[in-house]
mmCIF file of all heavy atoms in Angstrom:
data_model
loop_
_atom_site.group_PDB
_atom_site.id
_atom_site.type_symbol
_atom_site.label_atom_id
_atom_site.label_comp_id
_atom_site.label_asym_id
_atom_site.label_seq_id
_atom_site.Cartn_x
_atom_site.Cartn_y
_atom_site.Cartn_z
ATOM 1 N N PRO O 127 -2.872 -10.836 -18.079
ATOM 2 C CA PRO O 127 -2.469 -12.223 -18.271
ATOM 3 C C PRO O 127 -2.031 -12.852 -16.953
ATOM 4 O O PRO O 127 -1.577 -12.152 -16.043
ATOM 5 C CB PRO O 127 -1.285 -12.091 -19.245
ATOM 6 C CG PRO O 127 -0.750 -10.719 -19.033
ATOM 7 C CD PRO O 127 -1.908 -9.865 -18.636
ATOM 8 N N GLY O 128 -2.156 -14.189 -16.850
ATOM 9 C CA GLY O 128 -1.833 -14.894 -15.607
ATOM 10 C C GLY O 128 -0.330 -14.917 -15.346
ATOM 11 O O GLY O 128 0.469 -15.006 -16.288
ATOM 12 N N ILE O 129 0.041 -14.860 -14.066
ATOM 13 C CA ILE O 129 1.474 -14.825 -13.701
ATOM 14 C C ILE O 129 2.190 -16.088 -14.187
ATOM 15 O O ILE O 129 3.265 -16.023 -14.805
ATOM 16 C CB ILE O 129 1.618 -14.631 -12.170
ATOM 17 C CG1 ILE O 129 1.103 -13.240 -11.782
ATOM 18 C CG2 ILE O 129 3.060 -14.838 -11.712
ATOM 19 C CD1 ILE O 129 1.179 -12.905 -10.305
ATOM 20 N N THR O 130 1.587 -17.245 -13.943
ATOM 21 C CA THR O 130 2.238 -18.505 -14.327
ATOM 22 C C THR O 130 2.421 -18.564 -15.847
ATOM 23 O O THR O 130 3.468 -19.007 -16.345
ATOM 24 C CB THR O 130 1.399 -19.703 -13.826
ATOM 25 O OG1 THR O 130 1.142 -19.480 -12.431
ATOM 26 C CG2 THR O 130 2.111 -21.022 -14.001
ATOM 27 N N ASP O 131 1.408 -18.088 -16.599
ATOM 28 C CA ASP O 131 1.496 -18.092 -18.070
ATOM 29 C C ASP O 131 2.630 -17.190 -18.544
ATOM 30 O O ASP O 131 3.378 -17.540 -19.460
ATOM 31 C CB ASP O 131 0.180 -17.592 -18.688
ATOM 32 C CG ASP O 131 -0.966 -18.559 -18.409
ATOM 33 O OD1 ASP O 131 -0.693 -19.752 -18.159
ATOM 34 O OD2 ASP O 131 -2.134 -18.108 -18.421
ATOM 35 N N VAL O 132 2.763 -16.020 -17.919
ATOM 36 C CA VAL O 132 3.812 -15.074 -18.334
ATOM 37 C C VAL O 132 5.197 -15.662 -18.015
ATOM 38 O O VAL O 132 6.112 -15.616 -18.839
ATOM 39 C CB VAL O 132 3.616 -13.697 -17.645
ATOM 40 C CG1 VAL O 132 4.809 -12.786 -17.895
ATOM 41 C CG2 VAL O 132 2.326 -13.042 -18.119
ATOM 42 N N LEU O 133 5.321 -16.255 -16.806
ATOM 43 C CA LEU O 133 6.619 -16.833 -16.419
ATOM 44 C C LEU O 133 7.048 -17.880 -17.451
ATOM 45 O O LEU O 133 8.214 -17.961 -17.823
ATOM 46 C CB LEU O 133 6.514 -17.492 -15.035
ATOM 47 C CG LEU O 133 6.429 -16.547 -13.831
ATOM 48 C CD1 LEU O 133 6.087 -17.320 -12.559
ATOM 49 C CD2 LEU O 133 7.744 -15.793 -13.636
ATOM 50 N N SER O 134 6.073 -18.652 -17.914
ATOM 51 C CA SER O 134 6.394 -19.707 -18.855
ATOM 52 C C SER O 134 6.637 -19.132 -20.266
ATOM 53 O O SER O 134 7.621 -19.480 -20.920
ATOM 54 C CB SER O 134 5.249 -20.728 -18.813
ATOM 55 O OG SER O 134 5.196 -21.437 -19.979
ATOM 56 N N ALA O 135 5.774 -18.216 -20.715
ATOM 57 C CA ALA O 135 5.891 -17.685 -22.079
ATOM 58 C C ALA O 135 7.174 -16.876 -22.290
ATOM 59 O O ALA O 135 7.699 -16.822 -23.398
ATOM 60 C CB ALA O 135 4.666 -16.826 -22.399
ATOM 61 N N TYR O 136 7.685 -16.234 -21.240
ATOM 62 C CA TYR O 136 8.843 -15.334 -21.392
ATOM 63 C C TYR O 136 10.123 -15.913 -20.791
ATOM 64 O O TYR O 136 11.109 -15.188 -20.627
ATOM 65 C CB TYR O 136 8.525 -13.951 -20.785
ATOM 66 C CG TYR O 136 7.573 -13.153 -21.660
ATOM 67 C CD1 TYR O 136 6.204 -13.392 -21.597
ATOM 68 C CD2 TYR O 136 8.034 -12.220 -22.574
ATOM 69 C CE1 TYR O 136 5.322 -12.695 -22.421
ATOM 70 C CE2 TYR O 136 7.169 -11.523 -23.406
ATOM 71 C CZ TYR O 136 5.810 -11.762 -23.322
ATOM 72 O OH TYR O 136 4.938 -11.078 -24.142
ATOM 73 N N ARG O 137 10.121 -17.234 -20.478
ATOM 74 C CA ARG O 137 11.294 -17.803 -19.789
ATOM 75 C C ARG O 137 12.577 -17.727 -20.625
ATOM 76 O O ARG O 137 13.674 -17.734 -20.078
ATOM 77 C CB ARG O 137 10.999 -19.226 -19.302
ATOM 78 C CG ARG O 137 10.830 -20.242 -20.388
ATOM 79 C CD ARG O 137 10.388 -21.592 -19.834
ATOM 80 N NE ARG O 137 10.237 -22.564 -20.908
ATOM 81 C CZ ARG O 137 9.211 -22.615 -21.740
ATOM 82 N NH1 ARG O 137 8.207 -21.766 -21.607
ATOM 83 N NH2 ARG O 137 9.159 -23.513 -22.699
ATOM 84 N N GLU O 138 12.433 -17.662 -21.974
ATOM 85 C CA GLU O 138 13.636 -17.553 -22.827
ATOM 86 C C GLU O 138 14.174 -16.117 -22.854
ATOM 87 O O GLU O 138 15.285 -15.871 -23.292
ATOM 88 C CB GLU O 138 13.292 -17.954 -24.279
ATOM 89 C CG GLU O 138 12.692 -19.337 -24.434
ATOM 90 C CD GLU O 138 13.693 -20.428 -24.128
ATOM 91 O OE1 GLU O 138 14.886 -20.216 -24.407
ATOM 92 O OE2 GLU O 138 13.280 -21.478 -23.578
ATOM 93 N N LYS O 139 13.350 -15.156 -22.434
ATOM 94 C CA LYS O 139 13.748 -13.736 -22.555
ATOM 95 C C LYS O 139 14.533 -13.250 -21.344
ATOM 96 O O LYS O 139 15.395 -12.395 -21.448
ATOM 97 C CB LYS O 139 12.507 -12.833 -22.706
ATOM 98 C CG LYS O 139 11.513 -13.282 -23.766
ATOM 99 C CD LYS O 139 12.037 -13.065 -25.153
ATOM 100 C CE LYS O 139 11.027 -13.518 -26.193
ATOM 101 N NZ LYS O 139 11.588 -13.495 -27.554
ATOM 102 N N THR O 140 14.174 -13.765 -20.155
ATOM 103 C CA THR O 140 14.835 -13.348 -18.906
ATOM 104 C C THR O 140 14.427 -14.262 -17.752
ATOM 105 O O THR O 140 13.444 -15.013 -17.869
ATOM 106 C CB THR O 140 14.454 -11.889 -18.536
ATOM 107 O OG1 THR O 140 15.204 -11.494 -17.379
ATOM 108 C CG2 THR O 140 12.985 -11.737 -18.209
ATOM 109 N N GLN O 141 15.162 -14.183 -16.662
ATOM 110 C CA GLN O 141 14.758 -14.879 -15.428
ATOM 111 C C GLN O 141 14.193 -13.878 -14.425
ATOM 112 O O GLN O 141 13.729 -14.230 -13.347
ATOM 113 C CB GLN O 141 15.971 -15.570 -14.772
ATOM 114 C CG GLN O 141 16.558 -16.718 -15.580
ATOM 115 C CD GLN O 141 15.505 -17.789 -15.838
ATOM 116 O OE1 GLN O 141 14.937 -18.332 -14.896
ATOM 117 N NE2 GLN O 141 15.230 -18.084 -17.107
ATOM 118 N N ASN O 142 14.294 -12.591 -14.786
ATOM 119 C CA ASN O 142 13.938 -11.528 -13.841
ATOM 120 C C ASN O 142 12.557 -10.954 -14.156
ATOM 121 O O ASN O 142 12.394 -10.226 -15.143
ATOM 122 C CB ASN O 142 14.982 -10.409 -13.895
ATOM 123 C CG ASN O 142 16.373 -10.952 -13.657
ATOM 124 O OD1 ASN O 142 16.549 -11.879 -12.859
ATOM 125 N ND2 ASN O 142 17.348 -10.429 -14.351
ATOM 126 N N PHE O 143 11.597 -11.296 -13.321
ATOM 127 C CA PHE O 143 10.213 -10.870 -13.531
ATOM 128 C C PHE O 143 9.746 -10.049 -12.331
ATOM 129 O O PHE O 143 10.136 -10.313 -11.190
ATOM 130 C CB PHE O 143 9.288 -12.090 -13.640
ATOM 131 C CG PHE O 143 9.498 -12.901 -14.888
ATOM 132 C CD1 PHE O 143 10.466 -13.901 -14.935
ATOM 133 C CD2 PHE O 143 8.719 -12.682 -16.022
ATOM 134 C CE1 PHE O 143 10.668 -14.656 -16.079
ATOM 135 C CE2 PHE O 143 8.906 -13.432 -17.168
ATOM 136 C CZ PHE O 143 9.884 -14.425 -17.205
ATOM 137 N N ALA O 144 8.875 -9.095 -12.611
ATOM 138 C CA ALA O 144 8.182 -8.381 -11.523
ATOM 139 C C ALA O 144 6.717 -8.269 -11.929
ATOM 140 O O ALA O 144 6.403 -7.983 -13.093
ATOM 141 C CB ALA O 144 8.784 -6.994 -11.327
ATOM 142 N N PHE O 145 5.822 -8.556 -10.978
ATOM 143 C CA PHE O 145 4.383 -8.523 -11.245
ATOM 144 C C PHE O 145 3.701 -7.680 -10.194
ATOM 145 O O PHE O 145 4.081 -7.714 -9.013
ATOM 146 C CB PHE O 145 3.770 -9.926 -11.146
ATOM 147 C CG PHE O 145 4.255 -10.868 -12.192
ATOM 148 C CD1 PHE O 145 5.340 -11.700 -11.928
ATOM 149 C CD2 PHE O 145 3.636 -10.941 -13.426
ATOM 150 C CE1 PHE O 145 5.804 -12.580 -12.899
ATOM 151 C CE2 PHE O 145 4.091 -11.818 -14.400
ATOM 152 C CZ PHE O 145 5.179 -12.641 -14.130
ATOM 153 N N GLU O 146 2.647 -7.032 -10.627
ATOM 154 C CA GLU O 146 1.793 -6.388 -9.639
ATOM 155 C C GLU O 146 0.654 -7.365 -9.321
ATOM 156 O O GLU O 146 0.137 -8.036 -10.214
ATOM 157 C CB GLU O 146 1.236 -5.097 -10.214
ATOM 158 C CG GLU O 146 0.463 -4.379 -9.158
ATOM 159 C CD GLU O 146 0.194 -2.929 -9.473
ATOM 160 O OE1 GLU O 146 1.060 -2.252 -10.024
ATOM 161 O OE2 GLU O 146 -0.913 -2.518 -9.144
ATOM 162 N N ALA O 147 0.285 -7.457 -8.045
ATOM 163 C CA ALA O 147 -0.811 -8.351 -7.625
ATOM 164 C C ALA O 147 -1.676 -7.584 -6.625
ATOM 165 O O ALA O 147 -1.227 -6.584 -6.048
ATOM 166 C CB ALA O 147 -0.221 -9.609 -6.981
ATOM 167 N N PRO O 148 -2.926 -8.016 -6.402
ATOM 168 C CA PRO O 148 -3.776 -7.278 -5.449
ATOM 169 C C PRO O 148 -3.190 -7.317 -4.034
ATOM 170 O O PRO O 148 -2.878 -8.384 -3.524
ATOM 171 C CB PRO O 148 -5.111 -8.033 -5.510
ATOM 172 C CG PRO O 148 -5.069 -8.783 -6.798
ATOM 173 C CD PRO O 148 -3.641 -9.117 -7.053
ATOM 174 N N PRO O 149 -3.018 -6.144 -3.381
ATOM 175 C CA PRO O 149 -2.356 -6.107 -2.071
ATOM 176 C C PRO O 149 -3.178 -6.746 -0.956
ATOM 177 O O PRO O 149 -2.665 -6.961 0.143
ATOM 178 C CB PRO O 149 -2.149 -4.609 -1.821
ATOM 179 C CG PRO O 149 -3.154 -3.919 -2.674
ATOM 180 C CD PRO O 149 -3.395 -4.793 -3.855
ATOM 181 N N GLN O 150 -4.452 -7.064 -1.230
ATOM 182 C CA GLN O 150 -5.291 -7.722 -0.210
ATOM 183 C C GLN O 150 -4.882 -9.185 -0.028
ATOM 184 O O GLN O 150 -5.301 -9.837 0.931
ATOM 185 C CB GLN O 150 -6.767 -7.684 -0.605
ATOM 186 C CG GLN O 150 -7.374 -6.313 -0.765
ATOM 187 C CD GLN O 150 -7.042 -5.654 -2.113
ATOM 188 O OE1 GLN O 150 -6.425 -6.257 -2.978
ATOM 189 N NE2 GLN O 150 -7.437 -4.402 -2.252
ATOM 190 N N ILE O 151 -4.089 -9.734 -0.946
ATOM 191 C CA ILE O 151 -3.687 -11.145 -0.821
ATOM 192 C C ILE O 151 -2.558 -11.266 0.201
ATOM 193 O O ILE O 151 -1.509 -10.647 0.040
ATOM 194 C CB ILE O 151 -3.239 -11.723 -2.186
ATOM 195 C CG1 ILE O 151 -4.345 -11.531 -3.229
ATOM 196 C CG2 ILE O 151 -2.856 -13.187 -2.057
ATOM 197 C CD1 ILE O 151 -3.998 -12.051 -4.613
ATOM 198 N N PRO O 152 -2.765 -12.084 1.261
ATOM 199 C CA PRO O 152 -1.694 -12.233 2.254
ATOM 200 C C PRO O 152 -0.546 -13.094 1.705
ATOM 201 O O PRO O 152 -0.763 -13.887 0.775
ATOM 202 C CB PRO O 152 -2.390 -12.932 3.432
ATOM 203 C CG PRO O 152 -3.616 -13.555 2.867
ATOM 204 C CD PRO O 152 -3.994 -12.814 1.615
ATOM 205 N N PRO O 153 0.673 -12.935 2.254
ATOM 206 C CA PRO O 153 1.844 -13.644 1.709
ATOM 207 C C PRO O 153 1.618 -15.149 1.554
ATOM 208 O O PRO O 153 2.028 -15.731 0.553
ATOM 209 C CB PRO O 153 2.948 -13.370 2.729
ATOM 210 C CG PRO O 153 2.518 -12.149 3.468
ATOM 211 C CD PRO O 153 1.029 -12.087 3.410
ATOM 212 N N GLU O 154 0.940 -15.781 2.532
ATOM 213 C CA GLU O 154 0.804 -17.246 2.467
ATOM 214 C C GLU O 154 -0.146 -17.705 1.357
ATOM 215 O O GLU O 154 -0.157 -18.882 1.011
ATOM 216 C CB GLU O 154 0.405 -17.832 3.828
ATOM 217 C CG GLU O 154 -0.934 -17.420 4.380
ATOM 218 C CD GLU O 154 -0.904 -16.071 5.110
ATOM 219 O OE1 GLU O 154 0.130 -15.375 5.072
ATOM 220 O OE2 GLU O 154 -1.942 -15.702 5.692
ATOM 221 N N ARG O 155 -0.940 -16.781 0.797
ATOM 222 C CA ARG O 155 -1.823 -17.181 -0.311
ATOM 223 C C ARG O 155 -1.174 -16.954 -1.678
ATOM 224 O O ARG O 155 -1.807 -17.117 -2.708
ATOM 225 C CB ARG O 155 -3.158 -16.422 -0.229
ATOM 226 C CG ARG O 155 -4.104 -16.967 0.825
ATOM 227 C CD ARG O 155 -5.561 -17.119 0.335
ATOM 228 N NE ARG O 155 -5.977 -16.193 -0.685
ATOM 229 C CZ ARG O 155 -6.649 -15.046 -0.483
ATOM 230 N NH1 ARG O 155 -6.974 -14.697 0.743
ATOM 231 N NH2 ARG O 155 -6.999 -14.279 -1.478
ATOM 232 N N LEU O 156 0.104 -16.593 -1.666
ATOM 233 C CA LEU O 156 0.801 -16.390 -2.944
ATOM 234 C C LEU O 156 1.638 -17.636 -3.227
ATOM 235 O O LEU O 156 2.577 -17.927 -2.487
ATOM 236 C CB LEU O 156 1.688 -15.146 -2.853
ATOM 237 C CG LEU O 156 0.888 -13.848 -2.797
ATOM 238 C CD1 LEU O 156 1.697 -12.721 -2.186
ATOM 239 C CD2 LEU O 156 0.396 -13.448 -4.186
ATOM 240 N N PRO O 157 1.295 -18.375 -4.259
ATOM 241 C CA PRO O 157 1.935 -19.673 -4.464
ATOM 242 C C PRO O 157 3.283 -19.597 -5.182
ATOM 243 O O PRO O 157 3.583 -20.438 -6.032
ATOM 244 C CB PRO O 157 0.889 -20.406 -5.324
ATOM 245 C CG PRO O 157 0.215 -19.323 -6.095
ATOM 246 C CD PRO O 157 0.283 -18.069 -5.279
ATOM 247 N N TYR O 158 4.087 -18.571 -4.875
ATOM 248 C CA TYR O 158 5.369 -18.425 -5.574
ATOM 249 C C TYR O 158 6.490 -18.148 -4.571
ATOM 250 O O TYR O 158 6.266 -17.475 -3.569
ATOM 251 C CB TYR O 158 5.322 -17.236 -6.547
ATOM 252 C CG TYR O 158 4.194 -17.319 -7.548
ATOM 253 C CD1 TYR O 158 3.075 -16.500 -7.425
ATOM 254 C CD2 TYR O 158 4.259 -18.212 -8.612
ATOM 255 C CE1 TYR O 158 2.035 -16.576 -8.333
ATOM 256 C CE2 TYR O 158 3.219 -18.298 -9.527
ATOM 257 C CZ TYR O 158 2.108 -17.474 -9.379
ATOM 258 O OH TYR O 158 1.089 -17.552 -10.271
ATOM 259 N N ALA O 159 7.703 -18.647 -4.916
ATOM 260 C CA ALA O 159 8.877 -18.375 -4.066
ATOM 261 C C ALA O 159 9.496 -17.064 -4.523
ATOM 262 O O ALA O 159 10.580 -17.028 -5.108
ATOM 263 C CB ALA O 159 9.877 -19.515 -4.198
ATOM 264 N N CYS O 160 8.787 -15.985 -4.305
ATOM 265 C CA CYS O 160 9.249 -14.679 -4.795
ATOM 266 C C CYS O 160 9.287 -13.708 -3.620
ATOM 267 O O CYS O 160 8.831 -14.030 -2.523
ATOM 268 C CB CYS O 160 8.269 -14.161 -5.846
ATOM 269 S SG CYS O 160 6.591 -13.971 -5.212
ATOM 270 N N GLU O 161 9.820 -12.520 -3.859
ATOM 271 C CA GLU O 161 9.718 -11.459 -2.835
ATOM 272 C C GLU O 161 8.342 -10.812 -2.937
ATOM 273 O O GLU O 161 7.839 -10.572 -4.034
ATOM 274 C CB GLU O 161 10.799 -10.395 -3.073
ATOM 275 C CG GLU O 161 10.645 -9.222 -2.117
ATOM 276 C CD GLU O 161 11.696 -8.135 -2.322
ATOM 277 O OE1 GLU O 161 12.823 -8.446 -2.756
ATOM 278 O OE2 GLU O 161 11.363 -6.972 -2.027
ATOM 279 N N LYS O 162 7.738 -10.560 -1.776
ATOM 280 C CA LYS O 162 6.429 -9.902 -1.752
ATOM 281 C C LYS O 162 6.616 -8.521 -1.131
ATOM 282 O O LYS O 162 6.939 -8.416 0.047
ATOM 283 C CB LYS O 162 5.430 -10.708 -0.893
ATOM 284 C CG LYS O 162 5.158 -12.107 -1.411
ATOM 285 C CD LYS O 162 5.687 -13.142 -0.445
ATOM 286 C CE LYS O 162 5.678 -14.524 -1.058
ATOM 287 N NZ LYS O 162 6.640 -15.425 -0.400
ATOM 288 N N GLU O 163 6.408 -7.505 -1.942
ATOM 289 C CA GLU O 163 6.633 -6.132 -1.466
ATOM 290 C C GLU O 163 5.286 -5.400 -1.378
ATOM 291 O O GLU O 163 4.653 -5.118 -2.394
ATOM 292 C CB GLU O 163 7.556 -5.409 -2.446
ATOM 293 C CG GLU O 163 7.810 -3.965 -2.095
ATOM 294 C CD GLU O 163 8.377 -3.195 -3.281
ATOM 295 O OE1 GLU O 163 7.715 -3.124 -4.327
ATOM 296 O OE2 GLU O 163 9.493 -2.675 -3.154
ATOM 297 N N TYR O 164 4.873 -5.119 -0.146
ATOM 298 C CA TYR O 164 3.614 -4.404 0.076
ATOM 299 C C TYR O 164 3.941 -2.923 0.212
ATOM 300 O O TYR O 164 4.862 -2.548 0.944
ATOM 301 C CB TYR O 164 2.923 -4.911 1.341
ATOM 302 C CG TYR O 164 2.409 -6.339 1.195
ATOM 303 C CD1 TYR O 164 3.252 -7.434 1.404
ATOM 304 C CD2 TYR O 164 1.099 -6.601 0.821
ATOM 305 C CE1 TYR O 164 2.793 -8.736 1.257
ATOM 306 C CE2 TYR O 164 0.626 -7.904 0.673
ATOM 307 C CZ TYR O 164 1.484 -8.958 0.886
ATOM 308 O OH TYR O 164 1.028 -10.252 0.729
ATOM 309 N N ILE O 165 3.168 -2.086 -0.498
ATOM 310 C CA ILE O 165 3.451 -0.646 -0.492
ATOM 311 C C ILE O 165 2.250 0.121 0.032
ATOM 312 O O ILE O 165 1.126 -0.081 -0.451
ATOM 313 C CB ILE O 165 3.783 -0.143 -1.917
ATOM 314 C CG1 ILE O 165 4.962 -0.924 -2.507
ATOM 315 C CG2 ILE O 165 4.072 1.352 -1.919
ATOM 316 C CD1 ILE O 165 5.300 -0.562 -3.946
ATOM 317 N N SER O 166 2.478 0.990 1.028
ATOM 318 C CA SER O 166 1.394 1.916 1.377
ATOM 319 C C SER O 166 1.743 3.298 0.841
ATOM 320 O O SER O 166 2.905 3.672 0.751
ATOM 321 C CB SER O 166 1.057 1.935 2.862
ATOM 322 O OG SER O 166 2.190 1.907 3.669
ATOM 323 N N LEU O 167 0.703 3.995 0.447
ATOM 324 C CA LEU O 167 0.866 5.351 -0.084
ATOM 325 C C LEU O 167 -0.020 6.268 0.736
ATOM 326 O O LEU O 167 -1.221 6.006 0.876
ATOM 327 C CB LEU O 167 0.460 5.376 -1.568
ATOM 328 C CG LEU O 167 0.508 6.744 -2.249
ATOM 329 C CD1 LEU O 167 1.928 7.296 -2.295
ATOM 330 C CD2 LEU O 167 -0.046 6.653 -3.676
ATOM 331 N N ASP O 168 0.577 7.316 1.321
ATOM 332 C CA ASP O 168 -0.150 8.259 2.187
ATOM 333 C C ASP O 168 -0.949 7.517 3.267
ATOM 334 O O ASP O 168 -2.114 7.829 3.532
ATOM 335 C CB ASP O 168 -1.103 9.139 1.354
ATOM 336 C CG ASP O 168 -0.340 9.971 0.342
ATOM 337 O OD1 ASP O 168 0.787 10.401 0.672
ATOM 338 O OD2 ASP O 168 -0.855 10.184 -0.774
ATOM 339 N N GLY O 169 -0.347 6.482 3.839
ATOM 340 C CA GLY O 169 -0.969 5.778 4.964
ATOM 341 C C GLY O 169 -2.025 4.757 4.588
ATOM 342 O O GLY O 169 -2.662 4.178 5.470
ATOM 343 N N GLN O 170 -2.242 4.510 3.291
ATOM 344 C CA GLN O 170 -3.226 3.491 2.866
ATOM 345 C C GLN O 170 -2.494 2.398 2.092
ATOM 346 O O GLN O 170 -1.606 2.707 1.292
ATOM 347 C CB GLN O 170 -4.276 4.104 1.915
ATOM 348 C CG GLN O 170 -5.047 5.281 2.459
ATOM 349 C CD GLN O 170 -5.970 4.880 3.602
ATOM 350 O OE1 GLN O 170 -6.544 3.806 3.604
ATOM 351 N NE2 GLN O 170 -6.076 5.761 4.597
ATOM 352 N N LEU O 171 -2.936 1.135 2.295
ATOM 353 C CA LEU O 171 -2.337 0.036 1.539
ATOM 354 C C LEU O 171 -2.689 0.232 0.061
ATOM 355 O O LEU O 171 -3.853 0.420 -0.279
ATOM 356 C CB LEU O 171 -2.904 -1.293 2.044
ATOM 357 C CG LEU O 171 -2.292 -2.548 1.417
ATOM 358 C CD1 LEU O 171 -0.804 -2.641 1.721
ATOM 359 C CD2 LEU O 171 -3.015 -3.797 1.910
ATOM 360 N N ASN O 172 -1.676 0.192 -0.820
ATOM 361 C CA ASN O 172 -1.952 0.558 -2.214
ATOM 362 C C ASN O 172 -1.530 -0.489 -3.234
ATOM 363 O O ASN O 172 -2.260 -0.767 -4.170
ATOM 364 C CB ASN O 172 -1.266 1.910 -2.510
ATOM 365 C CG ASN O 172 -1.787 2.552 -3.764
ATOM 366 O OD1 ASN O 172 -1.618 2.029 -4.852
ATOM 367 N ND2 ASN O 172 -2.449 3.689 -3.628
ATOM 368 N N ARG O 173 -0.344 -1.077 -3.093
ATOM 369 C CA ARG O 173 0.165 -1.985 -4.118
ATOM 370 C C ARG O 173 0.911 -3.156 -3.503
ATOM 371 O O ARG O 173 1.413 -3.073 -2.378
ATOM 372 C CB ARG O 173 1.152 -1.260 -5.049
ATOM 373 C CG ARG O 173 0.523 -0.240 -6.028
ATOM 374 C CD ARG O 173 -0.376 -0.926 -7.014
ATOM 375 N NE ARG O 173 -0.762 -0.146 -8.159
ATOM 376 C CZ ARG O 173 -1.845 0.632 -8.260
ATOM 377 N NH1 ARG O 173 -2.642 0.805 -7.225
ATOM 378 N NH2 ARG O 173 -2.156 1.234 -9.395
ATOM 379 N N LEU O 174 0.975 -4.258 -4.290
ATOM 380 C CA LEU O 174 1.820 -5.406 -3.947
ATOM 381 C C LEU O 174 2.616 -5.747 -5.202
ATOM 382 O O LEU O 174 2.031 -5.906 -6.280
ATOM 383 C CB LEU O 174 0.933 -6.595 -3.529
ATOM 384 C CG LEU O 174 1.565 -7.984 -3.507
ATOM 385 C CD1 LEU O 174 2.724 -8.055 -2.512
ATOM 386 C CD2 LEU O 174 0.521 -9.052 -3.130
ATOM 387 N N THR O 175 3.933 -5.821 -5.070
ATOM 388 C CA THR O 175 4.767 -6.213 -6.213
ATOM 389 C C THR O 175 5.483 -7.512 -5.861
ATOM 390 O O THR O 175 5.972 -7.663 -4.736
ATOM 391 C CB THR O 175 5.812 -5.112 -6.557
ATOM 392 O OG1 THR O 175 5.187 -3.840 -6.444
ATOM 393 C CG2 THR O 175 6.344 -5.286 -7.956
ATOM 394 N N LEU O 176 5.523 -8.433 -6.831
ATOM 395 C CA LEU O 176 6.215 -9.707 -6.638
ATOM 396 C C LEU O 176 7.473 -9.697 -7.497
ATOM 397 O O LEU O 176 7.412 -9.340 -8.679
ATOM 398 C CB LEU O 176 5.306 -10.865 -7.065
ATOM 399 C CG LEU O 176 3.875 -10.853 -6.511
ATOM 400 C CD1 LEU O 176 3.085 -12.056 -7.036
ATOM 401 C CD2 LEU O 176 3.891 -10.860 -4.985
#
Side-chain angles (χ1 to χ4, degrees):
I129 293 180
T130 309
D131 294 337
V132 171
L133 287 170
S134 156
Y136 286 81
R137 68 186 180 283
E138 304 292 327
K139 310 288 180 188
T140 185
Q141 294 302 302
N142 305 324
F143 291 86
F145 294 93
E146 185 164 321
Q150 299 80 5
I151 305 179
E154 63 277 8
R155 283 225 331 263
L156 290 158
Y158 304 106
C160 59
E161 175 180 331
K162 298 114 191 157
E163 177 197 60
Y164 292 84
I165 303 176
S166 42
L167 177 64
D168 299 325
Q170 303 292 324
L171 184 62
N172 196 295
R173 288 295 194 269
L174 163 61
T175 319
L176 311 179

